[in-house]
Each structure stands twice: as structure tokens, then as C-alpha cells.
Amino acid sequence: RRSSDLCTVWRCWFPSPEVFEYGFETPTSLYRKISNIPCFVVVRVHPFADCVLIWLKVFVTIMVCAVVSDRLTSPDFPFFYASLGASASISFANPTSRFAQPANILFGNVVSTVFAVTFFHAFEGAVYLAAAFSCATSVAVMQLFSLQSPPAGALSLVYILMPDLHKMGYFYVLAGLALAGIILVFAFVLNNLSRRHVYPTAWLPRYVNECTYDTNTGGSG
């Protein structure tokens, strides 16, 4: 069974041309594709009470993180980063999203922080090259395991582009874990206080014994 599962994973990662469209659009097919994009998308208007609750959840989370970072952490080991805003937005405004689930947040933060430190030291002096390698590799690895986390993509750049963080080295990975832990604790407590939400939808991903390909991203879903 394990051998069969490994074969399936291999086929998903490297599909044959019969099931996966490699290559790029021609000018004609590109025009047809773009011309079929609708002008408008149907959206649901959210109740005002929902928006107030989201505001409160985000406010409490960011305020606590700011106070803890200011009072309990040293300047050499901060964890109050801009990516907190993106994590809070996903975790509280759309808690059922795949991006908001614990495995995505934890995996994404670890992968992105590890690559950020590694590529910064590998390309020391070439900041933009390190930033491009770090972000691109982080996003690709998250996609490879279907554990995407957009805020983690920001973490892959924060370390490289902020000189004050360079002295942290691989302690930056611990900061990323602390960041993920705080978001998950607040998301779990505050989202489940409401009768309308259950968070998370699942603790861990379960990989099915089949391959599906998203035509919008070219990735496996």
C-alpha cells in the first residue's frame, strides 16, 4: 500500500502530458481566454454584526501581540511583523478557508522562515536575489504539499529586507512559530465563541489517493 501511495504522489508531482497541459497560450487562445472572463462576480453582502465581530477579533489579537512584543520580548527577538495583519485577515474574516487552517499556517511559517535565513546567507550581499529565491521557493514548496499560506510568503521576505532582523539567524524560525502559535490560539478561541463558526475545519490534511489539477493555477488540489 505504501509503495502504491508513493507511486501516486510521484505521478501527481510529475504528471504525463495526457493529463496535464504543459506549455503556454498562443495569442489566439490567450485572447479567447481573456474575452470569456466575466465583467462582474456575484458577492454576498456580509451582515454588519459579522463585520463588527471580525473587527473585535482582529483588534484584540493585534493589540495583544503588540503588547507582548513590546513588554516581553527583546529587540533581538521580535515577533511582531506585518504578516500578522494578513494572518488575522484570513483567520477571522474567512476561517473556513484552506489558507486559515492550522497545518497551512504552521507549515507555511516554518518553510518560509527557514528559506529566508538560508537564502540570505547563501546570497549575502545580493539582497534582491536572496529575496526572489526565498519567496519563490517558499511558495513552490507550500504548493507542492497543498499547504499554501499567503502570510507566510510575506515572512519569506521580511527577514531579508529588514536589516535589524539579520542578527537573529535561525532564531527567526522560532519567531515564525511563535507568530503562528499566537494566531492559532486566538483564532481557535475567538472564532469558536460564535455559534456560526467552527474553527478549524480540520487539524491536518489528508492526502487522497488520486490526482486533481486546478486549471487556474496548474497545481494539484
Side-chain angles (χ1 to χ4, degrees):
R1 174 61 184 272
R2 180 171 297 180
S3 175
S4 174
D5 289 344
L6 289 175
C7 289
T8 300
V9 170
W10 183 263
R11 286 197 302 269
C12 289
W13 281 350
F14 303 101
S16 66
E18 287 78 16
V19 297
F20 186 87
E21 288 191 44
Y22 294 92
F24 299 95
E25 298 283 2
T26 64
T28 304
S29 64
L30 181 62
Y31 171 77
R32 283 200 302 267
K33 176 193 288 185
I34 295 175
S35 64
N36 287 327
I37 298 175
C39 292
F40 302 98
V41 61
V42 177
V43 297
R44 179 173 65 90
V45 177
H46 291 272
F48 185 74
D50 262 2
C51 300
V52 172
L53 285 174
I54 291 170
W55 186 93
L56 287 171
K57 293 173 185 177
V58 174
F59 179 86
V60 169
T61 302
I62 299 299
M63 178 60 72
V64 170
C65 287
V67 171
V68 170
S69 180
D70 182 59
R71 301 291 176 85
L72 300 182
T73 62
S74 70
D76 295 332
F77 193 80
F79 64 80
F80 190 61
Y81 305 129
S83 60
L84 259 175
S87 297
S89 175
I90 292 173
S91 299
F92 297 120
N94 194 5
T96 59
S97 166
R98 282 174 51 193
F99 300 146
Q101 303 313 305
N104 294 63
I105 293 175
L106 288 169
F107 182 81
N109 279 24
V110 170
V111 163
S112 296
T113 51
V114 167
F115 283 135
V117 179
T118 301
F119 282 115
F120 173 76
H121 290 291
F123 298 103
E124 198 159 6
V127 174
Y128 298 125
L129 188 60
F133 263 99
S134 173
C135 190
T137 308
S138 299
V139 172
V141 170
M142 287 187 283
Q143 180 75 359
L144 187 65
F145 291 95
S146 295
L147 289 171
Q148 304 89 340
S149 175
L155 282 177
S156 69
L157 296 176
V158 167
Y159 177 86
I160 296 172
L161 302 179
M162 293 183 64
D164 290 345
L165 299 179
H166 295 167
K167 56 191 172 185
M168 291 179 67
Y170 282 100
F171 281 108
Y172 181 64
V173 179
L174 298 181
L177 279 174
L179 196 70
I182 289 174
I183 284 291
L184 290 176
V185 168
F186 277 93
F188 178 77
V189 173
L190 298 179
N191 282 328
N192 286 319
L193 286 177
S194 170
R195 293 182 178 179
R196 300 184 63 249
H197 298 295
V198 176
Y199 181 85
T201 57
W203 292 106
L204 294 170
R206 186 173 75 87
Y207 296 97
V208 296
N209 193 27
E210 61 183 12
C211 301
T212 56
Y213 300 102
D214 186 346
T215 56
N216 290 322
T217 64
S220 58

